[in-house]
Structures are given as structure tokens and as C-alpha cells.
Amino acid sequence: MHAGDPLSSHFRLSDAHTKALNRLGIKMVRDVLYHFPARYEQAGGSGSVAELVAGQDVTLVGSLEKLEAKKSWKSRVPMTEGFLRDDSGRIKLRWFNQPYIAKMYAEGALVRASGKVTGSEGKLYLANPSLQKISIEEAGMFTPEEVSAELFAVYPESRGVSSLWFRSAIKKIFDAGVEMNDPLPPEMLKKYNLPTLHSAVVWIHQPKELKNATAARKRFAFEEVFLIQVERNRERAALSKEQGFRVEASHADMAEFMDDFPFAPTAAQKRAVAAILKDMQRGAPMGRLLEGDVGSGKTAVAATAAYATVRTRPAGQNFGTLQVAYMAPTEILAKQHFESFIQYFEHFPINIGLITGNGCYKFPSKISRTKATTISRAQLLKWVAGGEIPVVIGTHALIQKSVKFKHLALVVIDEQHRFGTNQRRALARKEKTLPHLLSMTATPIPRTLALTLWGDLDLTLLDEMPPGRKRVITEVVAQGERAAAYEKIRAQLKEGRQAYIICPRIDEPDPEKLFALQAKSVKAEAKRLQKDIFPEYRIGVLHSKMKPKDKDEVMVQLLAHEIDILVATSVVEVGVNVPNATVIMIEGAERFGLSQLHQLRGRVVRSVYQAYCFVVPESKGEATVARLKALVEAKNGFELAELDMAQRGPGELAGNKQWGISDIGMEALKNLKLVEAARTEAQQLVAHDPTLRAHPTLKAAVESRTAAMHFE
Ligand code: ADP
Ligand code: MG
């Protein structure tokens, strides 16, 4: 068997299985080998039936009784029920949607069953337990210590394929023997004391001891971070060879532009501008990431870069200008940037276009130097293609084929870090010259993650807030203080301000269910607040189940102050500047990472008024309150992101789902040394062998990873 073989050539798969495996991205033998266990259970079981308590994760060893497929009487969902008996008693087993289980086991079969103890006292059952058959020898002929020395793998839960399926597939693959080429060079394994691919695969799926599994996980973590780094370094190397636009703006010009800001730029903004201008003069395309908390003034930096660009003539021409595309994640944000740009460019004779799904605009209008006007899409596209409109702002709509530029020299991407490189290429498809890229984000992430994800970009931190900005007064609302917090919110509302109330985070892997649950909790909370707490104010709701159009409408109402209080989920990107909103209350705060809380708090940071954030934990534990107190003291989001990483792991980082790194890779990011080692190795390897000619297996691995990421 070869790792690159399709699964179907070695396994008989039902349609349902194939579908379930496809959902997990598993198509080849290799994919099964790289589908890593979430955890390991002791073979001998971790408890006995008589001692179970609800909520516990347990592995029991015993015999099966009376397995039977049925339909649940309420919802008619197919299910299987039965019992597991050990020396101390028996407990019910219950599976939903797995009617075939009953056929797979004989009455009295010996198994180990792992699952969550569910239900209430006297009516406990194991929900969707994973089963593994065990032999009489295993169950009877060893001492309990010997049995419990063996570990078995439990795989991430996924509908339609069980842990059992994975364990037996792995066994089958190992029994047949599998050929695999190791993408990591042997010298590297030796240097970092990492197991070979072959050992690691065996150890991670069938560890004899936990420390083997740990060594294997470390290897795969290194491998993943290394592959990402190799890819990023190749991109960087390729980029540095490309011809870029030489943007030459005089210092006097730039100073004049910035002097017209209604404020003095911060030192951090000046540093960022200087770095960007230097990049853009160099000749090779810039790749820079500007990271700064909400309100740190990224737009002004982007506007300055845009100005430098549009002040430059295309090479060999004494007319026309280079062009800028500015991409925002939502229409409302695109509109806001358009308005900001109008302000920044007020004194300069430059046309600015806005493309949205609901119409196109141009600034200035023919009639007024200070106003924008609507124009037809066709007209706007014509002017963009002809180069008459040098600055174009929009959403993803900018990437559409119909949008063509004449001399696109700078692409600014706001809050869309994931797409940077591809979208630059998509935007530049017509150009021989690759435009400069300025990617901006307020997502606070730790250094290791930034190094890994954006190894191809240079990083600038905007780590200073404009002066005079009032800090958000943050309070952790302890038990018994809720009513007082509501009164403080009411005081703000009475002053004519507006408020956000964020409902607790819900953990539910199935997005459909998640959205439904969130919608329910938002609606219920809004209803309760309207009835019991704020009957005199207008309350709006925002959640992911709403259509984009309805979401936009709510945000427009909020901006227009037709809503006083917005009750929302955290998942909804409330990334819009509503300067009149001065209070945010976050319920179930301990369910969020600190950096997420910080981002939520960022919603009220823009206000000219003093802003407040009430952080309401559900639990009253001291540790919880202490952790949340970091929000009161931390200087910026990066500090909180590092804290999250150290205290609770990468799972808590804001937006962690969108980064395309596996759980194992994310775990590795806690380890700065490992990340730096992988990065150094990748840099050296790419410097010596940019085409990876001497490392064909590595090359294939990098390319298949990249292809998978771009395909998503
Ligand atoms: P973000 O980094 O979140 O994109 P913005 O660029 O939207 O921040 O800026 C937030 C607000 O701060 C805007 O109203 C902007 O005019 C203002 N601002 C930006 N830079 C400064 C500065 N140096 N001094 C004072 N206000 C500033
Ligand atoms: Mg911004």
C-alpha cells in the first residue's frame, strides 16, 4: 500500500462513509495517517459502572447486552440502544444516527466503551460511546496494571465515522505495510531529535506509552510549522525577484499630506509610514502586515501609502498615476473607508471610487468638490480601467473579473489577512507587475502565530494609541452587581448614547446548530431586557442566522440611532464604527479568550465620549475574576493574546478558526523555540535550494498543503 493511494482502492466504503470522510478532507491513505487522535484512553478503562457521575468522560470495559436499533419516539431519529455490563453493574449506551451498530456486535461481546456520562442520577447513559472489541486474553489474562499500560486512540468527533473506524483502518494500513516518504530531511530529524515519519505515524496512532505519542505530536507540529514556513519563504523569495512598482514620493509631498490631517500622527504611525515608503521605493513588491488595535489609526497610514502611490506616474510616462485598490470585509466598512478617504484627500485633486453590491460612487462629484456622487457601475469600471480613478475602495467585489485596472500598484486589505497573497494575485491578473500589498489587521495575535502565518510578510506594529484617547473603563461585574451595571448603562442611554450587549459564547461544532442556538439566546436576552430592564429603550438584535441584507440594515439603524441597545452574538462581526455607542456588556465573559474580549471591547473605543465595558462572568470563581482582571490592566491586545496563549492555549485566540492550521500545529505555537527553529530551518533550506530540487518529497508536501489551503 502507498500513502498516495486513494482510500477506495484498499477499503470498501459505503456512500455515507465516503461522504463523512470527504467532509474531513480524507481521500487518500495518507490522509488517514494524518488524521490524528484527539486524545488517548487507557485500555483497561478509567472507571466502573457503579461509580459514574454525569458529565464525566469515561472508558469502561465490559460486555454488551441487548443492542438494538430503534427510532427515538419523539423525533423519529434512528438510534441504537443497549447496555454495557461490568463487575459492578450495567449502564445504558445510546447512539444517535448509528443504527448499524447493533449489527456489528454479538450479544455479550467484550468491548471497551468510551464516551461522556450523560443524563441524571439513576438514569445515566453513555452518549455516542466509541466501542472497541477486545479479546478474552486482554480482558482476563493480564493484571489490571498490564491492561491499563496500553493506550488507544480516540479521534476527533465527526459525524458518520467513528474512532473505531479509524482504529481499524489504521490497523489495516499498518498490517498491509505502507510506503511513505518523509518530507523532513534526515539531518533535521537528527538535529532536533524528532522521530522519523514512519515511527511517528505508528506512535501517534498506536502508542505503547504516552511519551511516544508526545514525541510523535511534536514531530508533526514541527513538520506543519516547517512546511508553512517553507512555503512562505518560497513566496518571499519569489516576490523579491519580481519587478515591482517604484513609488517615489518626495518627503515634502508626504509631509504636506500628513499636515492636512485633522490631528498630529503618532510616532507609531510615522514609523509605519516610513517603513511602507521605504518598501515601495525598493523596486520589488512590498508585502507588509500592519497590526494595530482598533482605533490605532491604520486608515490614516493606508491613506498616506495610497497618496504616495497616486502621486507617482507610471514608469516612462509623464501623465496619469499609479492606482490603489482598498479592500474591506463588508460593505458598511467599505463605505466608512470611502468616507474617511474623502476626508483625508479633501485638499488633493484625486478621484476616489467606491464599488459595492448596491451601487457605485465617485468622489468628488462634478457639481461639488466636497461631495461624492452615485455613478453607474459601467462608468466607474471604465474610469478605473482607464486609470482616471486612481483610488478604488470596495469589498470582495473588487476581485471580480470585470474590474480592471490600468496601473494597479498598491493593494490594501483590511482585516482579511487570510487571503492576502492570493487576492493580490487575483487583483493583479492583468498586470505584468505585481502590486505592493499592505495587509491590515486588528486581530491581536501572539508573535509565534504571526511568524508562522505571515512569514512572507514584514510586520509593523502600531502599538501606540493616538493621544487624548480615553481608555475604556472596564469593570468585572461580580455577583450581585449586575443591577448596578444595568443602571450605569441606563445612565449612558439617558445621555443619548447607545449600548451593545453581547450574549455568551456557545460551543457547538455544527455551525447550523450553533447559529440556531445563538439566534435563540440573542432573541431571548433581547426579550428579557426589553421586558424587565430597559422597557423605555429600543432594542435591536444581530446574529448569524440573519441574512446579510438584514444584518446590514440593523447596522444602519444602529448608526442612525434608531436602535438604543444592540443585543448580539460575538460571532457577528460588529466591525463598524458607531461613535455614539459607549457601552458594551459582555455576558458569560469567561467563555471568551482575553484577546476576544479585547476585540469586543474595541467596539466602543472609537467614541469621543468616555466608554465603558462591563465584563460579566457566569462563574464566581476567584481564578476567573483574576484572569478577567487582566483586561483592566493590559496595555494592548498583543499583550492579552500572549496571555491567552500562555494560560489557555491557542484555542482562545480571536478568530483562530480561519488560519488553516491544525490543532496540533496550533499547540506548537505555544512553543516559541520550536517555531523559531522551524523558521530558521525553512529560511536556510529555501536560501540554498529555492526550487526544492534536492528535496522532492518536501516539495510535494508543501505543494499539496498549499493546494489544499487555496482550495478551501
Ligand atoms: P483603525 O486602526 O481601527 O482602523 P482608524 O484608522 O479607523 O483606526 O482610526 C480611528 C480614529 O482615530 C479615526 O477617527 C481617526 O481619524 C483617528 N485618528 C487616527 N490617527 C490619529 C492620531 N494620530 N491622532 C488622533 N486621532 C487619530
Ligand atoms: Mg480600520
Side-chain angles (χ1 to χ4, degrees):
M1 195 183 296
H2 194 277
D5 295 345
L7 263 192
S8 52
S9 58
H10 300 286
F11 289 83
R12 268 203 310 195
L13 299 171
S14 68
D15 281 354
H17 259 127
T18 306
K19 263 201 206 130
L21 289 166
N22 278 344
R23 261 201 312 273
L24 295 169
I26 297 177
K27 298 197 169 86
M28 293 184 293
V29 171
R30 176 187 298 112
D31 302 329
V32 176
L33 296 172
Y34 271 79
H35 185 72
F36 300 139
R39 62 194 158 89
Y40 304 92
E41 291 281 357
Q42 300 276 299
S46 57
S48 66
V49 167
E51 290 160 357
L52 298 178
V53 285
Q56 184 185 4
D57 283 311
V58 75
T59 298
L60 298 169
V61 173
S63 53
L64 293 176
E65 291 180 0
K66 299 191 181 140
L67 283 198
E68 199 183 345
K70 351 176 133 162
K71 290 233 160 76
S72 74
W73 60 272
K74 244 201 226 144
S75 52
R76 311 301 298 158
V77 176
M79 59 192 283
T80 301
E81 284 192 339
F83 296 93
L84 181 111
R85 178 178 293 283
D86 71 6
D87 293 343
S88 68
R90 71 174 200 178
I91 180 167
K92 188 169 251 183
L93 308 176
R94 183 177 280 162
W95 293 265
F96 296 99
N97 286 316
Q98 299 183 43
Y100 49 84
I101 286 190
K103 295 205 193 85
M104 292 168 57
Y105 296 89
E107 178 74 9
L110 267 178
V111 294
R112 56 177 73 95
S114 316
K116 195 176 221 49
V117 182
T118 310
S120 53
E121 202 63 47
K123 283 192 210 153
L124 295 177
Y125 63 95
L126 284 192
N128 297 321
S130 85
L131 292 186
Q132 189 189 27
K133 273 185 208 160
I134 52 179
S135 59
I136 303 272
E137 293 80 18
E138 238 184 299
M141 285 174 54
F142 295 105
T143 63
E145 285 77 14
E146 278 167 325
V147 173
S148 65
E150 198 189 318
L151 296 165
F152 68 97
V154 181
Y155 291 85
E157 259 176 55
S158 36
R159 236 178 328 137
V161 258
S162 60
S163 277
L164 178 67
W165 188 89
F166 280 109
R167 282 197 299 267
S168 56
I170 290 286
K171 183 164 183 307
K172 187 167 171 187
I173 296 171
F174 288 172
D175 287 350
V178 59
E179 275 174 66
M180 294 176 282
N181 300 323
D182 197 333
L184 298 183
E187 319 80 73
M188 203 178 288
L189 297 178
K190 219 164 157 195
K191 182 165 170 192
Y192 296 102
N193 198 16
L194 299 169
T196 62
L197 178 58
H198 197 273
S199 308
V201 162
V202 174
W203 286 354
I204 204 162
H205 292 288
Q206 299 181 341
K208 288 269 178 292
E209 294 176 83
L210 218 44
K211 73 169 198 251
N212 292 344
T214 309
R217 295 181 95 84
K218 185 174 156 203
R219 182 223 133 94
F220 286 117
F222 184 92
E223 178 179 322
E224 181 168 354
V225 176
F226 176 72
L227 291 183
I228 298 174
Q229 296 284 353
V230 168
E231 187 212 334
R232 298 292 190 266
N233 274 286
R234 288 180 78 193
E235 267 164 23
R236 187 188 267 267
L239 217 55
S240 69
K241 287 214 190 70
E242 289 242 10
Q243 183 60 42
F245 290 92
R246 221 176 263 282
V247 170
E248 305 275 8
S250 78
H251 279 281
D253 271 356
M254 298 317 293
E256 189 195 353
F257 182 71
M258 289 172 83
D259 276 349
D260 274 323
F261 285 179
F263 45 74
T266 63
Q269 282 172 318
K270 284 189 201 154
R271 275 198 303 276
V273 165
I276 290 166
L277 294 180
K278 201 165 159 212
D279 283 355
M280 295 201 302
Q281 279 165 6
R282 215 176 34 194
M286 166 174 79
R288 189 165 285 277
L289 176 72
L290 185 63
E291 261 196 285
D293 269 353
V294 171
S296 57
K298 296 185 289 294
T299 318
V301 174
T304 312
Y307 180 68
T309 307
V310 301
R311 289 288 300 196
T312 307
R313 298 221 181 278
Q317 254 177 243
N318 59 2
F319 59 93
T321 81
L322 296 181
Q323 287 175 296
V324 180
Y326 191 134
M327 208 155 68
T330 65
E331 296 221 335
I332 312 178
L333 276 174
K335 242 189 186 135
Q336 270 187 5
H337 290 319
F338 181 59
E339 277 150 22
S340 306
F341 264 56
I342 289 177
Q343 278 175 12
Y344 288 123
F345 283 91
E346 208 172 19
H347 309 285
F348 301 88
I350 282 162
N351 292 322
I352 306 174
L354 172 68
I355 301 186
T356 79
N358 301 321
C360 296
Y361 297 79
K362 174 181 160 289
F363 170 86
S365 81
K366 265 203 206 105
I367 308 150
S368 163
R369 260 290 338 148
T370 55
K371 287 211 175 62
T373 172
T374 56
I375 58 171
S376 76
R377 189 181 157 82
Q379 182 58 261
L380 183 85
L381 293 184
K382 206 173 131 213
W383 279 336
V384 173
E388 286 95 342
I389 296 190
V391 178
V392 188
I393 298 173
T395 56
H396 273 76
L398 280 181
I399 312 179
Q400 285 163 6
K401 282 223 168 62
S402 54
V403 185
K404 295 190 180 100
F405 293 84
K406 186 145 182 146
H407 299 290
L408 179 62
L410 171 65
V411 172
V412 181
I413 298 181
D414 197 18
E415 281 304 332
Q416 280 284 31
H417 28 270
R418 172 83 195 272
F419 299 107
T421 319
N422 291 337
Q423 293 188 337
R424 157 160 60 174
R425 296 215 181 257
L427 271 162
R429 82 191 88 73
K430 285 260 117 191
E431 309 265 343
K432 282 184 277 330
T433 315
L434 202 61
H436 299 295
L437 171 70
L438 177 63
S439 198
M440 309 200 292
T441 179
T443 308
I445 60 168
R447 223 173 88 78
T448 49
L449 183 57
L451 285 179
T452 303
L453 286 173
W454 299 307
D456 56 331
L457 299 181
D458 295 306
L459 188 68
T460 300
L461 283 188
L462 225 45
D463 52 3
E464 178 185 359
M465 279 292 184
R469 203 53 76 67
K470 297 190 191 81
R471 275 182 75 119
V472 180
I473 295 179
T474 302
E475 273 180 40
V476 181
V477 178
Q479 195 157 27
E481 291 172 1
R482 174 183 287 274
Y486 283 140
E487 287 320 306
K488 289 178 194 167
I489 295 176
R490 193 187 319 278
Q492 288 293 304
L493 296 172
K494 268 192 190 147
E495 296 277 311
R497 304 286 88 76
Q498 289 161 281
Y500 297 102
I501 294 185
I502 306 296
C503 289
R505 171 166 126 180
I506 298 170
D507 278 317
E508 159 61 54
D510 183 341
E512 266 308 304
K513 274 193 221 154
L514 175 70
F515 292 162
L517 286 172
Q518 283 173 343
K520 202 172 145 208
S521 89
V522 164
K523 284 185 213 154
E525 180 66 0
K527 203 168 155 196
R528 184 187 76 83
L529 290 168
Q530 186 79 79
K531 188 163 159 279
D532 300 339
I533 315 284
F534 297 114
E536 71 274 38
Y537 289 107
R538 296 158 299 180
I539 298 183
V541 299
L542 192 64
H543 55 76
S544 315
K545 267 228 138 161
M546 291 162 60
K547 295 197 191 83
K549 202 173 118 269
D550 296 338
K551 285 190 213 166
D552 272 9
E553 196 169 311
V554 171
M555 288 316 294
V556 168
Q557 285 176 348
L558 190 69
L559 265 170
H561 202 165
E562 288 158 17
I563 291 173
D564 300 296
I565 304 171
L566 183 68
V567 182
T569 61
S570 63
V571 185
V572 173
E573 185 50 47
V574 202
V576 176
N577 192 1
V578 183
N580 192 49
T582 54
V583 199
I584 185 163
M585 181 182 233
I586 306 166
E587 297 281 355
E590 72 271 46
R591 299 184 191 215
F592 297 96
L594 293 172
S595 55
Q596 270 181 306
L597 290 170
H598 176 73
Q599 278 210 305
L600 288 169
R601 174 171 65 179
R603 300 300 158 227
V604 293
V605 110
R606 309 272 181 116
S607 167
V608 290
Y609 308 102
Q610 177 61 56
Y612 300 85
C613 172
F614 297 104
V615 176
V616 193
E618 270 161 19
S619 100
K620 309 299 168 197
E622 259 173 54
T624 304
V625 175
R627 190 174 75 87
L628 293 174
K629 282 264 158 73
L631 279 173
V632 181
E633 280 132 36
K635 278 202 293 299
N636 54 43
F638 308 104
E639 206 177 302
L640 291 168
E642 299 287 350
L643 267 176
D644 271 339
M645 188 76 137
Q647 291 176 351
R648 312 222 303 181
E652 296 306 326
L653 296 173
N656 81 77
K657 288 277 180 274
Q658 56 190 318
W659 290 324
I661 297 185
S662 76
D663 291 348
I664 268 194
M666 289 299 280
E667 263 319 291
L669 298 178
K670 273 197 211 172
N671 187 340
L672 183 63
K673 271 209 191 107
L674 184 148
V675 172
E676 282 180 340
R679 182 175 155 89
T680 313
E681 292 296 335
Q683 277 166 350
Q684 284 170 1
L685 191 135
V686 173
H688 286 121
D689 182 13
T691 58
L692 305 183
R693 193 181 317 156
H695 301 90
T697 312
L698 174 62
K699 182 164 189 254
V702 169
E703 277 162 10
S704 84
R705 201 197 132 81
T706 312
M709 298 242 349
H710 289 189
F711 182 70
E712 269 169 21

